[in-house]
Amino acid sequence: LDEMLSGLMDAEEGRLSFRAAFPRMQVRVSVSGEDPAQLQERLDRLEGAIRERLGDAVYAVGDEGLEETVSRLLSERGSAVAVAESCTGGLIGDRLTDVPGSSAAFLMGVVAYANEAKVGVLGVRPETLATDGAVSVQTAEEMAAGVRRISGADLGIATTGIAGPGGGTEEKPVGTVCIGMAWEGGGWSRRYNLGTRDRGWVKQATAQLALDLIRKWALGIPLPPS
């Protein structure tokens, strides 16, 4: 963030500061002066410049978490999500249900950790697991489609990956995560390499990625390339 916003303003205009409390990062703009109207005009102008630099990475103003943003956006459009989680172990559902009134936007969460659960509950095909593996975009897609089907949600999203510290291979090292999404008439999936990090970090980062993908879907922002 510091690099992206470098040179945006000089010291006479205002001051930028940052707060990083993973997985949330905040940018704070401070201005000083005597005329409240001029200060507000300057704040508005600087906020606009920051938004232009950061683009759709900005999801809220103030102390609003991504789960709150997602719940609000889904409620506003009258849509609901269901989640199928493997490597995140229910973390996405936990964050969404931390938001008061989230039942309007969150229908169901399934933690399908074992392959038997992926097949028996979500309808993942055994041949998909045999050919592509549990950690694959194909499995993530079928998990997302399955949880959407059994819940009746507008959007299904699924996570599967290798959080570590063991379980990685040369082809799929620790930090390999696949996220899949399914909605009426469409679907999306992508493989991410989050690097060899702490198990909790991988789970938190995957949940943050998934929530941001829900946000983009709700806003109609193009999803990243598959």
Side-chain angles (χ1 to χ4, degrees):
L1 281 174
D2 191 17
E3 292 174 357
M4 292 176 72
L5 297 177
S6 176
L8 185 72
M9 66 184 75
D10 57 41
E12 295 181 356
E13 285 185 296
R15 183 170 64 88
L16 279 177
S17 58
F18 304 91
R19 182 188 180 195
F22 182 78
R24 185 188 302 189
M25 291 178 286
Q26 294 174 298
V27 181
R28 181 176 179 179
V29 186
S30 303
V31 296
S32 59
E34 300 293 333
D35 188 327
Q38 289 183 356
L39 292 177
Q40 187 60 56
E41 186 277 331
R42 198 188 314 166
L43 274 177
D44 292 343
R45 177 166 46 82
L46 292 174
E47 180 187 339
I50 290 171
R51 286 181 174 275
E52 185 175 351
R53 285 275 184 99
L54 298 182
D56 61 29
V58 178
Y59 64 81
V61 175
D63 194 28
E64 181 175 294
L66 186 52
E67 59 271 22
E68 296 170 277
T69 299
V70 166
S71 291
R72 174 174 51 79
L73 290 173
L74 289 173
S75 296
E76 288 173 356
R77 62 173 283 156
S79 299
V81 65
V83 181
E85 302 186 60
S86 184
C87 63
T88 45
L91 185 56
I92 301 169
D94 179 60
R95 288 182 59 178
L96 285 171
T97 54
D98 276 344
V99 181
S102 58
S103 58
F106 177 58
L107 291 189
M108 184 176 75
V110 174
V111 179
Y113 208 62
N115 285 350
E116 293 83 357
K118 293 178 175 68
V119 174
V121 177
L122 298 174
V124 175
R125 297 177 301 162
E127 52 266 39
T128 299
L129 294 171
T131 303
D132 303 300
V135 180
S136 64
V137 292
Q138 293 85 357
T139 295
E141 290 171 6
E142 293 186 22
M143 289 173 65
V147 78
R148 179 178 180 269
R149 182 182 64 253
I150 63 179
S151 67
D154 301 282
L155 175 68
I157 187 165
T159 62
T160 180
I162 306 169
T169 65
E170 185 175 346
E171 181 186 355
K172 297 178 182 179
V174 170
T176 300
V177 169
C178 297
I179 301 178
M181 300 173 70
W183 59 90
E184 185 176 2
W188 174 94
S189 62
R190 185 176 182 182
R191 172 174 162 167
Y192 294 86
N193 183 2
L194 302 182
T196 305
R197 299 291 192 102
D198 173 79
R199 184 177 182 87
W201 190 97
V202 173
K203 292 173 67 176
Q204 285 279 4
T206 304
Q208 190 78 350
L209 278 169
L211 288 169
D212 196 49
L213 289 165
I214 299 172
R215 175 185 72 96
K216 289 177 178 177
W217 178 85
L219 288 171
I221 296 172
L223 298 173
S226 297

